[in-house]
């Protein structure tokens, strides 16, 4: 290995290039399972250079940098390659890397960086720590140890168990099962100087969802977003690792500026020539709201859609309509599930699963292996059953390859003679709190959720495949009169195709906003 690396390394080799070579060589020595367990997705030089280049001029000739999940330190290298243009005197780096098998590669990278800086008459010193960054720095959440001018990171991405020590240390940010990358961001906030910059590449999943509510409230209360870069492609960002992940690059600071640059590229090939537009932060986040959902438009059409939704003042609850998650958890209910109708002495209710629901169609029975068709009604299981009324079924999960994130269907009580039905946990269901949804309301809500405009709005803040009931509760809706008109028109025309839905929904929505079409 040494001989090969010496060929790659000479005094003219950029540190980021050498770090990239080291990362590739390290990857060839470990299994995919090892990298997955560590949450390792090495940053390509195209991205590391982009991240380094968005840093702004330092306020001092002597700067400090933190790289809390450094890998081979490629992000630090790219950042310093940019900052060294500003006639620096000294750089102090604190870097963390917990993978002991990777640390020798990191040391080689940092030694090369040190020599590269020396040749440019910049003093570079570093501390490379192998302890856990979150455990070491969790105390900063209380003490606000503002130490660093720049914090740059591609943190690990994986979910943490509820009994993980790090979860207990940051309990105030936790709801459900947290992802470790959000802890990296939160802790970094408190280590950043008042005039410092935070530069991260992370999944988009923090932008919405109840699991990240506490994190978003904390993060956006302590950091102002200055810059966001979005990738339209989900596969190119970490293509070496075959990762299908919606990611973004963000830059934040503790300044009082309200302008946010939103930059967009298809992937890596055009990242050096991105489309950019400046927004006021209030166009992207309602900082006075409890949820603080981050909207990220990438086209003019998406901007128009966001403005349209902002013009509505209604949520479903304002119409006496609520959304809940199906109460039947299949693995906990196996003793009550049946594949076939038994006999008249056993009360069996139809059971609806995610696969029973497609756009505008709830099909039952729909035979799929290991998916029972019925659920038994007993004194124990009755609490899991739902009264047979008109509903809207909405899938809680979509495939990453689905054209639509929102997949909804009306369900009418006349579909079944049963007094009760079962709704499995991977479905959401929408219902009227008092009484029952009218059929035109059920069709209207389903059509609106399935429409291009609603799916577009949903994608501006949702960066994963989950469709939570909480997100739908918070979404603005047009008036109940519009919902009923859309439903009545579709019923009358007896055409539930996607083309007809988009046509009818756009017709009604265009009364609220012009130029919805691209």
């Amino acid at each position: 290995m040494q001989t090969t690396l010496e060929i790659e390394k000479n005094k003219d080799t950029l540190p980021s290039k050498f770090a990239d070579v080291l990362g590739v060589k390290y990857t060839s020595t470990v299994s995919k399972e090892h990298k997955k367990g560590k949450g390792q997705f090495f940053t390509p030089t195209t991205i590391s250079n982009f991240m380094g280049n968005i840093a702004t001029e330092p306020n001092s000739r002597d700067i400090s940098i933190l790289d809390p999940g450094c890998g081979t330190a490629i992000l630090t290298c790219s950042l310093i390659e940019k900052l060294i243009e500003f006639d620096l005197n000294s750089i102090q780096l604190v870097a963390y890397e917990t993978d002991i098998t990777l640390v020798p590669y990191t040391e080689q990278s940092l030694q090369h960086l040190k020599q590269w800086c020396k040749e440019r008459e910049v003093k570079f010193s570093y501390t490379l720590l192998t302890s856990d960054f979150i455990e070491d720095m969790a105390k900063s959440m209380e003490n606000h140890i503002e130490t660093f001018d720049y914090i740059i990171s591609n943190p690990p991405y994986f979910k943490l168990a509820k009994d993980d020590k790090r979860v207990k240390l940051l309990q105030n940010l936790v709801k459900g099962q947290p992802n470790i990358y959000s802890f990296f961001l939160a802790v970094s906030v408190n280590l950043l100087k008042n005039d410092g910059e935070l530069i991260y590449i992370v999944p988009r999943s923090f932008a919405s969802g109840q699991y990240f509510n506490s994190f978003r409230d904390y993060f956006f209360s302590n950091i102002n977003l200055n810059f966001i870069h979005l990738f339209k492609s989900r596969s190119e960002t970490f293509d070496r690792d075959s990762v299908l992940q919606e990611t973004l690059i963000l830059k934040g600071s503790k300044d009082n500026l309200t302008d946010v640059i939103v930059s967009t590229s298809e992937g890596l090939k055009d990242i050096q020539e991105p489309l950019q537009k400046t927004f006021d932060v209030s166009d992207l986040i309602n900082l006075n709201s409890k949820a603080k959902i981050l909207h990220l438009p990438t086209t003019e059409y998406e901007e128009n859609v966001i403005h349209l939704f902002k013009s509505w003042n209604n949520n479903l609850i304002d119409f006496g309509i609520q959304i809940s998650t199906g109460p039947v958890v299949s693995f906990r209910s196996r003793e009550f599930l049946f594949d076939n109708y038994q006999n008249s002495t056993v009360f069996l209710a139809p059971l609806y699963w995610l696969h029973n629901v497609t756009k505008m169609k709830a099909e039952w029975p729909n035979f799929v292996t290991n998916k029972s068709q019925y659920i038994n009604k007993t004194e124990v299981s009755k609490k899991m059953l739902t009264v047979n009324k008109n509903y809207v079924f909405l899938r809680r999960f979509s495939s990453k390859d689905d054209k639509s994130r929102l997949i909804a269907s009306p369900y009418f009580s006349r579909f079944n003679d049963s007094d009760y039905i079962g709704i499995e946990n991977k479905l959401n269901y929408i219902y009227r709190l008092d009484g029952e949804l009218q059929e035109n309301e059920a069709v209207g809500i389903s059509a609106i959720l399935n429409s291009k405009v609603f799916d577009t709005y949903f994608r501006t803040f949702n960066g994963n495949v989950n469709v939570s009931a909480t997100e739908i509760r918070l979404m603005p809706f047009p008036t109940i009169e519009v919902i009923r008109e859309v439903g009545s028109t579709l019923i009358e025309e007896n055409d539930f195709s996607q083309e007809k839905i988009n046509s009818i929904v756009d017709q009604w929505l265009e009364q609220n906003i012009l130029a919805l079409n691209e």
Side-chain angles (χ1 to χ4, degrees):
M1 181 178 72
Q2 291 293 329
T3 302
T4 304
L5 289 181
E6 287 301 326
I7 294 172
E8 296 286 352
K9 184 178 73 169
N10 60 64
K11 66 179 182 179
D12 296 321
T13 302
L14 281 174
S16 59
K17 171 63 177 175
F18 185 57
D20 185 54
V21 170
L22 287 165
V24 171
K25 292 188 180 298
Y26 162 79
T27 298
S28 69
T29 68
V30 296
S31 65
K32 289 183 179 179
E33 289 72 22
H34 176 86
K35 291 187 68 184
K36 185 177 180 181
K38 297 289 186 180
Q40 289 176 341
F41 305 105
F42 287 158
T43 314
T45 50
T46 308
I47 291 179
S48 70
N49 291 338
F50 182 87
M51 292 174 67
N53 283 330
I54 64 175
T56 55
E57 183 176 354
N59 295 309
S60 169
R61 295 186 63 206
D62 301 292
I63 65 169
S64 57
I65 299 173
L66 170 66
D67 190 340
C70 69
T72 58
I74 190 170
L75 288 175
T76 290
C77 292
S78 290
L79 176 63
I80 290 175
E81 287 166 12
K82 166 64 183 294
L83 297 179
I84 211 163
E85 299 172 3
F86 298 112
D87 193 27
L88 297 180
N89 179 50
S90 68
I91 302 170
Q92 289 184 313
L93 169 71
V94 174
Y96 278 82
E97 180 50 60
T98 58
D99 185 352
I100 301 302
T101 61
L102 178 56
V103 166
Y105 296 83
T106 311
E107 286 280 4
Q108 289 187 65
S109 176
L110 293 176
Q111 284 295 323
H112 177 56
L113 176 60
K114 184 175 183 177
Q115 181 63 33
W116 188 85
C117 289
K118 181 179 179 181
E119 291 167 0
R120 285 151 183 82
E121 299 182 349
V122 176
K123 182 180 179 182
F124 174 75
S125 61
Y126 69 89
T127 302
L128 178 58
L129 302 169
T130 58
S131 51
D132 187 275
F133 169 67
I134 303 300
E135 293 182 19
D136 277 5
M137 295 297 185
K139 61 184 179 182
S140 73
M141 300 292 285
E142 296 178 0
N143 300 331
H144 295 272
I145 309 171
E146 297 166 349
T147 307
F148 298 98
D149 297 290
Y150 298 91
I151 302 178
I152 191 165
S153 183
N154 172 13
Y157 314 156
F158 56 82
K159 292 181 178 178
L160 294 167
K162 292 182 179 180
D163 59 353
D164 189 287
K165 183 178 179 180
R166 293 162 292 193
V167 172
K168 294 177 180 178
L169 287 170
L170 300 180
Q171 192 63 42
N172 61 314
L173 298 180
V174 174
K175 184 172 184 180
Q177 190 175 23
N179 195 303
I180 193 170
Y181 81 81
S182 64
F183 284 4
F184 270 69
L185 277 168
V187 171
S188 294
V189 167
N190 292 287
L191 299 171
L192 188 69
K193 290 182 179 179
N194 284 332
D195 56 357
E197 288 187 339
L198 182 79
I199 303 172
Y200 262 74
I201 179 168
V202 290
R204 280 186 56 169
S205 53
F206 78 90
S208 65
Q210 59 180 332
Y211 289 171
F212 289 97
N213 273 359
S214 297
F215 164 74
R216 284 196 306 276
D217 185 48
Y218 179 83
F219 188 69
F220 292 133
S221 296
N222 290 278
I223 281 287
N224 289 329
L225 288 178
N226 305 129
F227 178 94
I228 300 172
H229 183 81
L230 306 173
F231 300 93
K232 292 184 179 180
S233 170
R234 283 182 270 181
S235 58
E236 283 192 29
T237 319
F238 297 105
D239 55 352
R240 289 176 184 169
D241 296 296
S242 300
V243 175
L244 192 63
Q245 175 74 61
E246 291 197 40
T247 55
L248 58 79
I249 294 168
L250 67 83
K251 181 174 75 170
S253 67
K254 297 181 179 179
D255 60 31
N256 294 316
L257 300 177
T258 61
D259 285 349
V260 183
I261 297 174
V262 176
S263 168
T264 308
S265 67
E266 290 292 335
L268 299 186
K269 294 177 182 178
D270 60 336
I271 194 172
Q272 299 304 327
E273 298 178 348
L275 299 175
Q276 293 190 350
K277 185 166 183 177
T278 301
F279 294 85
D280 189 89
V281 68
S282 62
D283 293 329
L284 306 179
I285 314 170
N286 180 358
L287 293 173
N288 295 319
S289 67
K290 187 175 181 180
K292 291 184 175 60
I293 291 173
L294 174 62
H295 294 271
L296 298 168
T298 60
T299 65
E300 185 176 352
Y301 176 78
E302 292 177 359
E303 291 176 45
N304 286 336
V305 168
I306 291 172
H307 286 305
L308 169 63
F309 277 69
K310 283 188 175 183
S311 72
W312 297 335
N313 299 314
N314 301 306
N315 303 119
L316 286 176
I317 193 65
D318 296 317
F319 312 135
I321 297 173
Q322 184 58 281
I323 178 170
S324 296
T325 299
V328 179
V329 181
S330 57
F331 72 90
R332 295 175 183 164
S333 313
R334 291 192 182 109
E335 62 182 295
F336 305 111
L337 304 186
F338 291 82
D339 293 333
N340 300 294
Y341 195 84
Q342 300 296 304
N343 55 60
S344 59
T345 62
V346 178
F347 180 89
L348 296 180
L351 177 59
Y352 283 81
W353 303 70
L354 180 145
H355 72 268
N356 292 107
V357 175
T358 55
K359 285 198 170 191
M360 301 306 291
K361 186 176 182 180
E363 183 181 4
W364 183 92
N366 184 2
F367 295 96
V368 172
T369 304
N370 298 323
K371 305 294 184 185
S372 301
Q373 299 296 312
Y374 298 92
I375 181 168
N376 189 16
K377 177 189 172 185
T378 68
E379 288 301 317
V380 176
S381 66
K382 186 177 178 181
K383 63 184 179 181
M384 294 184 289
L385 301 180
T386 308
V387 176
N388 186 20
K389 299 194 298 185
N390 294 341
Y391 297 109
V392 172
F393 291 153
L394 175 66
R395 288 187 176 195
R396 284 187 59 208
F397 301 95
S398 63
S399 163
K400 288 188 176 182
D401 296 321
D402 279 340
K403 293 181 179 179
S404 299
R405 293 282 175 82
L406 300 177
I407 300 174
S409 170
Y411 168 84
F412 303 131
S413 58
R414 53 183 167 83
F415 286 176
N416 291 292
D417 295 331
S418 174
D419 292 336
Y420 292 87
I421 61 171
I423 304 174
E424 204 269 336
N425 193 246
K426 291 183 178 59
L427 282 179
N428 293 313
Y429 65 105
I430 297 171
Y431 55 97
R432 185 169 286 286
L433 287 168
D434 295 321
E436 185 174 14
L437 288 174
Q438 300 174 23
E439 290 200 0
N440 62 352
E441 292 173 342
V443 172
I445 292 171
S446 299
I448 286 172
L449 288 171
N450 286 327
S451 69
K452 177 185 175 182
V453 67
F454 260 71
D455 196 70
T456 298
Y457 179 76
F458 190 77
R459 287 175 183 271
T460 65
F461 64 81
N462 182 285
N464 54 60
V465 298
N466 299 344
V467 180
S468 75
T470 301
E471 289 171 334
I472 303 302
R473 287 190 199 108
L474 293 173
M475 283 180 73
F477 274 77
T479 65
I480 191 65
E481 289 76 21
V482 168
I483 291 172
R484 290 168 181 160
E485 288 283 357
V486 169
S488 295
T489 302
L490 287 169
I491 292 170
E492 181 180 344
E493 298 194 15
N494 194 28
D495 182 356
F496 291 170
S497 66
Q498 189 64 50
E499 293 75 17
K500 177 59 69 174
I501 287 171
N502 288 338
S503 173
I504 296 299
V505 171
D506 282 358
Q507 174 186 328
W508 287 102
L509 298 187
E510 283 173 356
Q511 297 176 10
N512 302 86
I513 192 172
L514 298 175
L516 269 177
N517 295 319
E518 292 177 313

